[in-house]
Amino acid sequence: MRLLLIEDEQKVADVIVRGLRAERFAVDVAHDGITGWQMASTVEYDLIILDLMLPGISGTEVLKRLQRAGSSAAVLVLTA
């Protein structure tokens, strides 16, 4: 299963990635909305873990773009 984590807080991202990789998931990481959108629109992910408060473009905008593009990836929204 291939996952994309879009999370701007480095420490939070590190903890999540470490746990997912320990469970043998393939995880890519983006630390801002623009990079996250670029990755999500060019690679087919099974799951996208998405923070809403991101620099560049918001997680909400990333989600809207994914929906408009017809992405089949499941999205798990993380928020404080």
Side-chain angles (χ1 to χ4, degrees):
M1 181 175 267
R2 187 154 191 178
L3 286 68
L4 172 61
L5 171 64
I6 309 174
E7 169 60 62
D8 63 322
E9 294 290 331
Q10 185 71 45
K11 289 181 182 180
V12 173
D14 289 347
V15 169
I16 293 170
V17 168
R18 192 170 32 253
L20 290 170
R21 287 184 178 155
E23 295 297 323
R24 302 200 185 269
F25 289 105
V27 184
D28 295 330
V29 182
H31 294 288
D32 62 79
I34 294 169
T35 305
W37 164 244
Q38 290 170 342
M39 293 172 74
S41 64
T42 58
V43 177
E44 190 171 325
Y45 290 99
D46 299 297
L47 174 67
I48 298 170
I49 303 171
L50 178 64
D51 184 15
L52 293 180
M53 304 285 287
L54 295 168
I57 59 174
S58 71
T60 303
E61 179 61 26
V62 172
L63 185 56
K64 288 177 185 177
R65 291 181 183 192
L66 288 167
Q67 290 172 330
R68 283 194 301 262
S71 173
S72 62
V75 178
L76 175 65
V77 174
L78 292 181
T79 185

